[in-house]
Amino acid sequence: VLAGWALLYAKLQESQLAAHIVIAESHTSYMRPVKQDIQAICRIPDETTMQRFQETVKKRGRARILLVTEIMTGDLLAMPLRGRYVIHI
C-alpha cells in the first residue's frame, strides 16, 4: 500500500498538485512465505493513463487510479497487491 501511495505522491509533486491520497480498495494474494528481505515494486502506469488521471484531478478535484504493487522476496513474487487509490484536492 505504501509503495503505491509514495508513487502517487511523487507524481503529484511533479505536477505541483497538493492532494490527499487514500486507498479505497485493495486485493492481495499471498503466494509464498517471506524468509528474507523484501522489495516493494510499484510501476508507473502507462503515460496515457497517468495523463488522463492528472487531467481529471485538475478538472474535477478528484480522481481514482488502479496501481499494482509486487512484493518480491529475492527474485520471487511473494505477494501481488492491486490497489485502487482515490485522490482529492
Side-chain angles (χ1 to χ4, degrees), residues 13-79:
Q13 291 294 307
E14 285 177 10
S15 300
Q16 298 180 345
L17 290 171
H20 299 280
I21 304 168
V22 178
I23 181 129
E25 177 182 5
S26 69
H27 299 281
T28 304
S29 298
Y30 297 93
M31 301 176 71
R32 64 181 30 87
V34 174
K35 297 180 180 179
Q36 56 190 19
D37 292 343
I38 64 168
Q39 182 178 17
I41 302 167
C42 186
R43 291 180 176 78
I44 299 169
D46 63 83
E47 191 173 325
T48 302
T49 300
M50 283 307 298
Q51 186 174 11
R52 188 176 323 125
F53 167 76
Q54 290 173 343
E55 288 172 0
T56 302
V57 171
K58 290 176 184 176
K59 181 179 177 182
R60 297 186 178 161
R62 65 178 190 256
R64 64 181 130 191
I65 191 166
L66 177 66
L67 297 177
V68 177
T69 300
E70 296 176 331
I71 307 300
M72 306 296 293
T73 180
D75 292 334
L76 301 173
L77 178 61
M79 185 181 88

